[in-house]
Amino acid sequence: MDAALEEFQKTQLQETRLAGLVQQAAAAVDRLEQIVTDAQAQIGEDELAGKIAQAVTKEAQTAVDLETAKRTAQALDLATLERKLEAANRRQVRLARSGWSWWVRSPKLEEQAKTQGGQGPATRAQGAVELAEVAEQQRSNARRGRCSCRLLKETLESAQADASRKYLAPVTKRVEPYVRRLLPMPA
């Protein structure tokens, strides 16, 4: 009986906590709706959409610039180039998958646009098209980076082979008789 009473009291405490959390969430939603309403009143919807598009474009450009700076800063050794090639392949696959996720989520986004009011499917579609263009640009940048890394790797490997053939072969030919005297090899 005591165990059942304790379980009942625990359940009541949990329900009280959950009710408080629900009230806090409802208050937060009300505050956010008021902030959005105030922002729309201060700035026109077209101007707000333009600023959002500019922010998305600037963020994408910053991401591309950051990636370029990181690539430039790293040393050009063979192991780094191989890691970059693998990373570019993974990024291309991930970007290709994320492109399909927009098609899958499109009906859900249209439904959200209808329920939010003020913003219709055309506005959402335009935003989706812009994001798709940014994703395609990032995908092409990743593809170009991958090709560059592959070319650098091949160039370094051929330079290494040429250097070995040009500089190391004559030295080994001259040293070979002395090494044979020191370390006799069985016939």
Side-chain angles (χ1 to χ4, degrees):
M1 184 78 170
D2 289 333
L5 182 61
E6 288 178 19
E7 187 65 32
F8 179 72
Q9 289 174 346
K10 286 180 185 178
T11 306
Q12 283 183 333
L13 282 174
Q14 287 178 346
E15 287 179 5
T16 305
R17 285 186 207 136
L18 288 175
L21 290 174
V22 167
Q23 289 176 352
Q24 289 176 357
V29 167
D30 290 340
R31 283 193 305 263
L32 288 174
E33 287 176 351
Q34 184 61 38
I35 289 171
V36 168
T37 304
D38 292 345
Q40 286 178 344
Q42 291 176 358
I43 301 174
E45 286 187 31
D46 293 335
E47 187 177 337
L48 183 62
K51 287 185 178 186
I52 289 173
Q54 288 175 352
V56 168
T57 304
K58 188 173 183 179
E59 180 182 1
Q61 183 61 39
T62 303
V64 170
D65 292 345
L66 177 64
E67 188 65 31
T68 303
K70 284 180 181 178
R71 267 191 255 131
T72 305
Q74 293 179 348
L76 292 176
D77 63 323
L78 191 59
T80 302
L81 291 174
E82 289 175 350
R83 284 193 306 268
K84 285 182 181 181
L85 182 60
E86 291 172 7
N89 287 335
R90 286 191 306 265
R91 188 172 355 138
Q92 183 178 6
V93 168
R94 187 178 64 243
L95 287 174
R97 287 181 187 155
S98 70
W100 282 107
S101 69
W102 280 106
W103 291 105
V104 172
R105 294 187 304 170
S106 178
K108 183 178 178 182
L109 291 175
E110 287 179 7
E111 184 60 34
Q112 285 178 350
K114 289 177 186 175
T115 60
Q116 289 178 355
Q119 295 181 352
T123 306
R124 290 285 187 178
Q126 181 182 5
V129 167
E130 290 173 359
L131 287 175
E133 289 173 359
V134 169
E136 182 61 33
Q137 180 66 29
Q138 288 177 347
R139 183 175 172 230
S140 67
N141 287 344
R143 183 177 289 146
R144 273 189 260 125
R146 188 183 72 189
C147 290
S148 297
C149 288
R150 184 180 297 132
L151 180 64
L152 282 171
K153 177 184 172 188
E154 291 170 0
T155 304
L156 286 175
E157 287 174 347
S158 68
Q160 182 181 9
D162 289 345
S164 176
R165 196 171 42 250
K166 186 175 182 179
Y167 298 109
L168 193 57
V171 172
T172 55
K173 285 181 182 178
R174 286 186 184 170
V175 174
E176 184 178 5
Y178 301 110
V179 172
R180 286 186 187 266
R181 287 182 196 163
L182 291 173
L183 304 170
M185 294 185 194

